[in-house]
Amino acid sequence: MAIFAVKTTASQERTVADMLVNREEESIHAVLAPDSLTSYVMVEADEANVFDRILDEIPHARGVVPGKSSIMEVEHFLSPKPDVEGIAEGDIVELIAGPFKGEKAQVQRIDEGKDQVTVELYEATVPIPVTVRGDQIRVLDSEER
């Protein structure tokens, strides 16, 4: 068994992955469409020739990249990254969800265990610390850069 990269139309990775899974091919064991990998779907299969038969029938599948991959090469796609990764104390962020959506704030504290960030709103007359989930903010300006 090996892992093969199937080239897809941009933004159609999930569609292609779903169609591959729904075919219930015996020689296809697993399909992975990570958000961080655009225009490709990783497929665990017995051999590459299984794709010769089925890719013509799957819309948005463009072909197979020559060669095989090992589980070691795709392992980093299997464990989710915390939402607070890449955020540092002092960063200027915009809240993109919740009651303070659209507000700008400065990161005061990061709790990686809970995947939360405590920020202080800019426009508030009294500094109010607000704790939000890491996926509810977008970094605008980082002090580390």
Side-chain angles (χ1 to χ4, degrees), residues 19-20 23 25 27-28 43 49-59 61:
M19 288 181 178
L20 284 168
R23 287 191 62 89
E25 286 283 331
S27 54
I28 293 179
V43 181
N49 65 5
V50 68
F51 300 110
D52 296 340
R53 297 191 322 266
I54 63 174
L55 286 189
D56 289 339
E57 301 169 13
I58 297 178

Side-chain angles (χ1 to χ4, degrees), residues 4-25 28 30-34 37-43 51 54-64:
F4 299 93
V6 175
K7 177 91 170 115
T8 68
T9 305
S11 302
Q12 296 297 323
E13 302 86 4
R14 293 235 185 247
T15 306
V16 171
D18 289 343
M19 288 181 178
L20 284 168
V21 168
N22 291 336
R23 287 191 62 89
E24 297 181 7
E25 286 283 331
I28 293 179
V31 180
L32 175 67
L37 187 64
T38 55
S39 299
Y40 291 95
V41 173
M42 306 308 289
V43 181
F51 300 110
I54 63 174
L55 286 189
D56 289 339
E57 301 169 13
I58 297 178
H60 307 293
R62 299 290 170 236
V64 179

Side-chain angles (χ1 to χ4, degrees), residues 94-102 132-133 135-137:
E94 178 184 5
L95 285 91
I96 58 173
F100 299 106
K101 182 177 180 177
V132 296
R133 291 193 331 256
D135 64 346
Q136 293 184 335
I137 61 173

